[in-house]
Amino acid sequence: MSLDPASLRIDQRLLYFMDQLEILEEKRQKLNALIEEGWFNISKARYSMGNKQVSALQYASEMDPHVYVNTSLSENGVVEFQCEQTEHKAEEPKESDTVENMGPTEGGLRRRMNVRQKETEDESTAKGQHEEERQVAPKAEKAQCPLQEPLKWFGILVPQNLKQAQTVFKEVITLSAEISTLQNVILVTREELQSQMKEKQKISLN
Amino acid sequence: MPGRGKLIAVIGDEDTCTGFLLGGIGELNKNRKPNFLVVEKDTSVTEIEETFKSFLARNDIGIVLINQFIAEMIRHAIDAHLQSIPAVLEIPSKEHPYDASKDSILRRAKGMFSAEDFR
């Protein structure tokens, strides 16, 4: 049996392997540069806000992820990683759910003379309604804003540098998924090359 | 939750974790363990290794990001991980730039050729 087809296959896979390594090298350099830019922005934000204002102490006690990675297995055995980012949507509150009526439910002046019993009854019913509305309001807020924006951990008004850091790290996350896929491609190609080389050796011995 | 993708975990210094948490990867609630570990000067190698192994054991983590200098501390554990999921990605830290010669994946890819193969 001729060695040419086997050698040709190996050469093709080897060229593909080298191409993937080159792409990985480029993406790695981009990733490292972006991460450094992110750190630089965080340091600038720390300089303007104060040393302890941008640290692990500000992390929320409860966090929900905004980013997920979807994995899929392709036909040639390569696992592909794809990032999925869920946007934080600040929905407008519904008036019926979140507006708290703090004032009296009845219009007009309240009589203070000779109607003390009536007033206490009115107050107790009004208080009951207020409590129900307050209970509805926080539940409505929770339901409308399930994903908390991480920037808010560091304060309401954060410097632009911190927002830039967030943008940069979001890009890093997307790039990390691409690099993870490339790493898997390289390892799978390596295994294919090794098996093809063993095949070639068997053919050459025969 | 059905249909939800996997998480991204991170083991790194404070700024690395802060950056990725700003990016929105963090999960922390009363029911589940966090998907990140902030490594400080007094963090033990045992804790790092246990956290890394716990991330590998979880079926809801797709990628593990780890500073390379921390990866060096638990290199044996990283080299022993041969599965595709979760993917382990070594990243630089502020004080230790990325060194491709130390990366586990690239070392595995590099050591495949010998002189006999090119005859």
Side-chain angles (χ1 to χ4, degrees), chain A residues 28 46 63 66 69 190, chain B residues 6 15 18 24 28 90 108:
Chain A
R28 266 274 172 206
R46 186 176 286 126
M63 301 177 194
H66 295 235
V69 60
R190 170 184 170 266
Chain B
K6 295 183 188 286
D15 274 7
T18 301
L28 177 60
E90 295 179 29
R108 278 161 66 185

Side-chain angles (χ1 to χ4, degrees), chain A residues 45-46 48-58 153-155 162:
Chain A
R46 186 176 286 126
S48 58
M49 291 173 73
N51 202 19
K52 298 201 176 177
Q53 298 306 312
V54 183
S55 69
L57 297 170
Q58 271 68 45
W153 304 341
F154 303 95
L162 205 60

Side-chain angles (χ1 to χ4, degrees), chain A residues 27-81:
Chain A
K27 295 207 171 188
R28 266 274 172 206
Q29 284 180 0
K30 190 177 173 189
L31 180 86
N32 295 343
L34 280 173
I35 291 177
E36 286 168 15
E37 186 185 338
W39 287 330
F40 195 44
N41 283 316
I42 289 175
S43 298
K44 281 186 192 173
R46 186 176 286 126
Y47 180 75
S48 58
M49 291 173 73
N51 202 19
K52 298 201 176 177
Q53 298 306 312
V54 183
S55 69
L57 297 170
Q58 271 68 45
Y59 294 172
S61 55
E62 289 193 9
M63 301 177 194
D64 287 317
H66 295 235
V67 181
Y68 295 98
V69 60
N70 295 318
T71 56
S72 57
L73 188 65
S74 63
E75 288 175 355
N76 49 4
V78 172
V79 177
E80 294 178 357
F81 297 86

Side-chain angles (χ1 to χ4, degrees), chain B residues 9-76:
Chain B
V10 62
I11 300 175
D13 54 27
E14 190 179 69
D15 274 7
T16 301
C17 288
T18 301
F20 282 106
L21 290 177
L22 272 173
I25 66 157
E27 185 186 68
L28 177 60
N29 54 43
K30 296 170 193 174
N31 303 322
R32 293 155 62 81
K33 288 187 178 176
N35 64 334
F36 61 92
L37 173 68
V38 180
V39 174
E40 291 165 345
K41 289 177 187 174
D42 54 355
T43 307
S44 66
V45 177
T46 312
E47 188 182 348
I48 296 170
E49 190 173 342
E50 279 173 6
T51 305
F52 177 72
K53 286 182 176 172
S54 71
F55 287 163
L56 296 185
R58 285 172 64 167
N59 59 359
D60 61 343
I61 288 179
I63 299 174
V64 178
L65 300 163
I66 181 167
N67 284 136
Q68 194 171 52
F69 83 97
I70 300 171
E72 280 293 297
M73 296 179 196
I74 56 168
R75 183 56 70 193
H76 56 283

Side-chain angles (χ1 to χ4, degrees), chain A residues 140-156:
Chain A
E141 283 177 6
K142 246 189 179 179
Q144 289 175 2
C145 303
L147 295 178
Q148 195 191 22
E149 171 61 49
L151 277 174
K152 290 186 180 174
W153 304 341
F154 303 95
I156 295 169

